[in-house]
Amino acid sequence: MKLTILGATGSIGVSTLDVLARHPERYEVMALTGNHQIDLLAEQCVRFKPKYAVVGDAIGAAKLQAALGQRSVKTEVAYGAEALEQVASLTEVDAVMAAIVGAAGLAPTLAAARAGKRILLANKEALVMAGSVFMDIVRRSGALLLPIDSEHNAVFQCLPQDYAGSPGGRGIKRIVLTASGGPFRMLKSSDLAEVTPEQATAHPNWTMGKKISVDSATMMNKGLEVIEAHWLFGMPAAQIDVVIHPQSVIHSMVDYVDGSVIAQLGNPDMRTPIANALAWPDRVSSGVASLDLCAIGRLDFLPVDLTQFPCVALAYRALEEGNNRAAVLNAANEIAVAAFLDRRLSFLNISAVIQSTLDRVASSPVRDLAAILEADRQGRQMAEMECRSRAL
Ligand code: NAD
Ligand code: MG
């Protein structure tokens, strides 16, 4: 299988290359992309010898070209948005790992979908923003969409093998997404006022990029995942539940009408869902250690406190209201999280910015990509204003 890895220099990208390197007879890397981490991308090109590498801008491209020239690596270097779409849709590529963070990943992921590729979807923001348009393209092109997000990969494994995206008739009652609760699970709302980016990005169970780490701390990550589950599995909001499970051992569950609950368990390591989606319907080793239940000892579960984590409620509301709401929610969240990481916004004001952005950007239908990009633009513009009015 020949692959393009979008976001190769990120946390998911690095884990993907780790799994691929264990099976060189099975997988071949055709293209790697990264934004600004040129040194790491150069090392990856030396090791995996892709035909193409794509970076963010011309300066990065020149630097990468020079580094590869010195090491006699013949990878062709390109930069910019168009090049990302090109490597995502190359005729010789079978599968695309979509692991760019945020809205920046939408266009190349859609390009892979249009080209009918096997898409390993980590970039949940693309599906949250573009929901029905994205799924329509997948259906029309015959692309195969496989979830990398650990919860959705778990649900995928717990659903009937031939599940075709509609819960009717298959005895499925609901999906239960598990959430670790993030680093601030034990804090009261009043304690959250002073938390720093360093504290917010120190996740108890997972090592991830900064944006998703903050999303885990606000639990917007779970909100985005509820919307993601809706589109991936054709499940209405009312049939998607969230439960806090601090150990992150059960990655999610499917509850059936006969009382059976099927869960997927494993150590919290993204190489498991990555290997699952890469090899599906086969199984390959991932480098993840076997689960030792006796060493773990106990599994705990708690309800989500929506006053402590208002982002979860905002995401459910956006999903139920439909229209451009999820695209605006996602845009406002990206802006608010970036402002928090820049120390321009307090942690508690992340949800406040998203809430008032949703209140101020008018709800309107999104029938095509242009409408989604417009909702994204309006959401970003309004959220920037909301951040400024609450600036630290
Ligand atoms: P990361 O920040 O570690 O990596 C992001 C990657 O995207 C990097 O390669 C970066 O160079 C690239 N990138 C960033 N901005 C870009 C731009 N404007 N143009 C082109 N490339 C750009 O993030 P991550 O933790 O690997 O997460 C990637 C995606 O996977 C996110 O959507 C996240 O929600 C999802 N995800 C991650 C995890 C995890 O464990 N890390 C788990 C589930 C889902
Ligand atoms: Mg997840």
Side-chain angles (χ1 to χ4, degrees):
M1 181 183 282
K2 295 185 169 146
L3 287 121
T4 286
I5 300 163
L6 302 169
T9 54
S11 164
I12 293 287
V14 167
S15 293
T16 303
L17 290 174
D18 182 282
V19 176
L20 295 180
R22 292 165 194 276
H23 307 282
E25 72 300 339
R26 225 184 139 112
Y27 302 110
E28 189 183 335
V29 178
M30 290 299 291
L32 294 175
T33 88
N35 206 21
H36 298 306
Q37 284 171 284
I38 307 299
D39 295 341
L40 176 56
L41 190 59
E43 286 310 314
Q44 293 177 336
C45 289
V46 170
R47 178 144 187 228
F48 292 92
K49 307 212 166 30
K51 207 163 159 190
Y52 307 97
V54 180
V55 297
D57 55 31
I59 298 170
K63 201 175 153 201
L64 180 62
Q65 191 83 66
L68 296 182
Q70 276 174 8
R71 318 268 295 259
S72 306
V73 177
K74 294 195 172 43
T75 300
E76 204 176 296
V77 178
Y79 66 90
E82 210 173 299
L84 286 178
E85 292 192 41
Q86 277 164 4
V87 294
S89 52
L90 293 167
T91 333
E92 62 262 51
V93 160
D94 307 297
V96 175
M97 166 56 79
I100 291 176
V101 60
L106 177 64
T109 306
L110 288 183
R114 277 188 211 98
K117 306 298 185 196
R118 172 187 285 235
I119 302 169
L120 316 177
L121 185 75
N123 180 210
K124 65 190 88 184
E125 296 91 346
L127 197 52
V128 168
M129 287 172 77
S132 63
V133 170
F134 189 145
M135 295 308 290
D136 276 349
I137 294 175
V138 167
R139 269 188 291 271
R140 264 187 276 132
S141 71
L144 174 63
L145 187 58
L146 297 171
I148 292 297
D149 215 346
S150 56
E151 296 76 5
H152 306 73
N153 185 268
V155 169
F156 175 72
Q157 294 193 50
C158 299
L159 284 168
Q161 272 275 329
D162 59 346
Y163 182 73
S166 149
R170 306 307 303 266
I172 298 161
K173 208 154 125 194
R174 59 181 186 139
I175 283 174
V176 183
L177 301 178
T178 53
S180 68
F184 304 145
R185 182 174 61 85
M186 307 295 275
L187 300 187
K188 291 276 143 284
S189 299
S190 53
D191 301 330
L192 289 172
E194 303 292 324
V195 300
T196 63
E198 289 72 22
Q199 291 168 313
T201 50
H203 196 278
N205 306 343
W206 301 92
T207 316
M208 310 181 285
K210 280 199 176 138
K211 193 262 178 182
I212 184 176
S213 297
V214 177
D215 285 348
S216 298
T218 62
M219 283 194 74
M220 179 54 95
N221 184 47
K222 214 48 54 180
L224 298 177
E225 290 182 356
V226 167
I227 302 175
E228 183 186 12
H230 165 76
W231 292 114
L232 282 172
F233 308 119
M235 202 70 72
Q239 282 169 265
I240 306 171
D241 285 348
V242 175
V243 63
I244 294 197
H245 165 44
Q247 290 90 356
S248 298
V249 166
I250 293 185
H251 297 303
S252 279
M253 303 169 247
V254 178
D255 184 1
Y256 289 88
V257 288
D258 61 2
S260 300
V261 176
I262 303 188
Q264 186 258 359
L265 287 73
N267 287 318
D269 187 321
M270 289 307 292
R271 291 177 300 175
T272 295
I274 290 168
N276 176 265
L278 273 171
W280 186 85
D282 298 343
R283 298 256 178 193
V284 294
S285 62
S286 64
V288 177
S290 291
L291 187 62
D292 183 348
L293 280 172
C294 295
I296 293 160
R298 54 186 274 183
L299 301 178
D300 296 306
F301 303 94
L302 303 123
V304 183
D305 177 349
L306 293 178
T307 349
Q308 190 187 1
F309 296 112
C311 286
V312 180
L314 288 173
Y316 266 106
R317 209 183 80 196
L319 176 57
E320 276 155 7
E321 289 176 7
N323 276 351
N324 60 358
R325 303 289 80 194
V328 173
L329 171 102
N330 179 68
N333 182 54
E334 286 193 28
I335 295 296
V337 169
F340 169 69
L341 286 170
D342 280 356
R343 297 173 212 277
R344 288 186 281 117
L345 190 73
S346 73
F347 184 79
L348 285 176
N349 270 332
I350 296 176
S351 60
V353 164
I354 301 165
Q355 163 100 61
S356 47
T357 303
L358 282 165
D359 291 344
R360 279 154 200 250
V361 174
S363 181
S364 62
V366 280
R367 294 200 183 84
D368 54 22
L369 191 56
I372 288 158
L373 296 177
E374 176 57 18
D376 181 62
R377 192 194 62 76
Q378 287 181 13
R380 279 167 199 276
Q381 196 175 34
M382 186 61 76
E384 285 290 4
M385 282 167 54
E386 296 295 328
C387 286
R388 276 200 291 277
S389 73
R390 292 175 178 77
L392 287 173

